[in-house]
Amino acid sequence: MIACTPAVSWPNWRVLALAVGVQVPCQMLLSVVAVAVHHMKEAGAPAAALWIVAFATGSLPLIFFKPAVDRALSDELLADAQLGLFFGATAFSFSFFRTIEAAWGTSPDGSRRNLQTWVQYFTAPVDPRYHEGKVMVPAPGTLMRTAARIPARMIALGAILSVGTPRSEDPMGPTPLSLAALKLMPAWLAFLVVNHIYSVGLWLFLALCFDLGALTLLVQGVDVTDSFNNPVFGAKSPKEFWGKRWNKQVNALLRRVCFLPLAPRVGLTAAALATFATSAAFHEYQFALTFRQYTPGAVGLFFVINGALCVGQTVVEKLTGRYCPNVRVGYAALVPEALKVLMNILVLTPFGHLFMHIWLQHGMIETISRIVPTLDCAFVNATVAGKK
């Protein structure tokens, strides 16, 4: 029997303030870079010069910012600033990618209309939407709907983290979620269930971040792209999950930076693999800036495996299309959509811990739990407690 003594923990505003505080100097610096890139592009600078600017911009945090933070912040302060470091790393990554887009000539049509639209695009946390070379105006009610989603996402994320955050000083210690799962089901099934619930939590967290970023553009009358399309409960294959539903913001950047320029040169499969490799490098950069003593290659392995799954799906589709067309047609027509979603979950879920364990190990889950309302539930084995 498990007893629970609940206590509500409200968002820690110091963590949120530090997250915003880190973004201010980042945006100021990146605005200067945006102006420089725009003038270089207008002056007809060679693509090689823009590549140099991209790598110089991306190197700044690694060379100067990261060492300064490691020296100045204690472990306790770093825990408070971790979310801000994550946002800052993401901002520099996006600016790196957008500079490469300028070098390739693959930036969205409306982004280079003038200096103002370029700086807005270059520093935006979410891609603005364009139509016929002009910034689109959001539909009526978009701002209010986006604002209303934020508290809903915070409550849902808080519910997951209430049971998914370790209750000991050990960041890799047991959680109420893992303990309850092990009591209710076999270990292998508990492993899959816990991985799946964490994937839902990750989705909610990233969607919350993009909604907050979207608000900064919507209040200016600029429409934005949708960042997610029900990836966890809507995707029916690994390719659909990664290509059409999960983190469409980063997916669009990688498509313009890597896939579109490379596909005509090396073919679709090689371009897709290169895109996953670029995604792995992006996350390696992000994690190296966010986490102290991060082990290089840890998150890259997760993306290499998922890239292999997508390539494997392509191979199976080609083989069945050539040798067993009836099987492919029958699968598409006869297998229920819900079963396809479940099968995709079973394919992807076993590898989720490769990503989430990094966040657990470095305290990112604990940091995120401090920006949403959570229910701190002291789970105690009542039988054992009664014997003491």
Side-chain angles (χ1 to χ4, degrees):
M1 179 180 179
I2 296 179
C4 174
T5 304
V8 176
S9 291
W10 299 105
N12 185 313
W13 299 109
R14 187 170 77 160
V15 176
L16 293 172
L18 284 170
V20 174
V22 170
Q23 283 296 89
V24 172
C26 287
Q27 292 299 314
M28 293 174 63
L29 175 59
L30 293 176
S31 294
V32 174
V33 176
V35 172
V37 171
H38 182 268
H39 286 316
M40 291 175 67
K41 191 71 177 176
E42 290 295 305
L50 291 170
W51 280 84
I52 292 172
V53 171
F55 279 96
T57 302
S59 299
L60 285 176
L62 290 172
I63 297 173
F64 299 106
F65 186 58
K66 173 67 172 175
V69 168
D70 286 344
R71 287 194 301 268
L73 297 185
S74 63
D75 289 341
E76 182 179 355
L77 286 175
L78 183 65
D80 288 341
Q82 201 165 49
L83 193 62
L85 298 177
F86 177 79
F87 289 159
T90 303
F92 272 89
S93 300
F94 283 11
S95 296
F96 170 85
F97 287 141
R98 286 161 177 160
T99 305
I100 299 300
E101 287 177 7
W104 285 121
T106 55
S107 305
D109 289 339
S111 63
R112 295 198 310 271
R113 185 178 181 87
N114 53 51
L115 178 59
Q116 179 182 351
T117 57
W118 174 250
V119 173
Q120 183 181 69
Y121 169 70
F122 193 87
T123 58
V126 186
D127 280 353
R129 294 182 65 195
Y130 304 97
H131 180 66
E132 296 181 351
K134 297 181 180 179
V135 175
M136 293 182 64
V137 176
T142 302
L143 176 60
M144 294 303 298
R145 286 194 298 272
T146 303
R149 283 201 304 261
I150 290 174
R153 294 196 197 281
M154 292 180 72
I155 292 171
L157 178 58
I160 290 177
L161 295 183
S162 293
V163 295
T165 305
R167 297 304 180 196
S168 65
E169 293 184 0
D170 180 7
M172 298 299 292
T175 66
L177 174 62
S178 61
L179 292 174
L182 286 171
K183 284 181 176 293
L184 296 173
M185 58 193 73
W188 66 269
L189 183 57
F191 172 77
L192 293 178
V193 168
V194 171
N195 270 6
H196 184 63
I197 292 175
Y198 273 131
S199 70
V200 175
L202 179 61
W203 169 26
L204 288 169
F205 168 68
L206 294 177
L208 171 64
C209 293
F210 283 125
D211 279 347
L212 290 170
L215 282 182
T216 65
L217 292 172
L218 291 172
V219 296
Q220 301 176 58
V222 177
D223 200 10
V224 297
T225 57
D226 293 327
S227 298
F228 289 90
N229 181 21
N230 190 18
V232 177
F233 302 108
K236 296 178 285 294
S237 70
K239 286 171 62 176
E240 181 183 356
F241 179 91
W242 289 110
K244 297 181 179 180
R245 293 181 178 273
W246 181 264
N247 204 338
K248 294 167 64 179
Q249 168 59 48
V250 171
N251 184 284
L253 282 170
L254 293 175
R255 180 176 176 82
R256 295 190 295 264
V257 166
C258 193
F259 186 81
L260 290 178
L262 292 182
R265 295 173 171 84
V266 300
L268 297 179
T269 300
L273 280 174
T275 302
F276 266 99
T278 304
S279 179
F282 156 60
H283 286 87
E284 288 286 341
Y285 175 87
Q286 191 181 50
F287 284 21
L289 288 175
T290 304
F291 305 134
R292 181 175 285 175
Q293 297 179 342
Y294 167 71
T295 303
V299 73
L301 176 61
F302 171 80
F303 285 97
V304 168
I305 290 174
N306 278 276
L309 290 175
C310 290
V311 171
Q313 178 186 340
T314 299
V315 171
V316 170
E317 289 173 344
K318 289 182 177 179
L319 291 176
T320 53
R322 179 180 298 178
Y323 300 109
C324 309
N326 292 334
V327 172
R328 184 172 178 179
V329 172
Y331 177 82
L334 300 178
V335 177
E337 298 295 293
L339 183 56
K340 293 177 184 176
V341 171
L342 177 60
M343 292 171 65
N344 183 58
I345 290 173
L346 292 175
V347 169
L348 295 179
T349 298
F351 307 103
H353 68 288
L354 296 175
F355 189 101
M356 294 309 303
H357 276 195
I358 299 171
W359 280 27
L360 282 165
Q361 177 185 358
H362 293 278
M364 187 64 167
I365 297 298
E366 170 67 24
T367 299
I368 296 171
S369 72
R370 297 171 66 195
I371 66 167
V372 295
T374 56
L375 189 66
D376 293 331
C377 210
F379 285 81
V380 181
N381 188 311
T383 302
V384 174
K387 292 181 179 179
K388 291 184 179 180

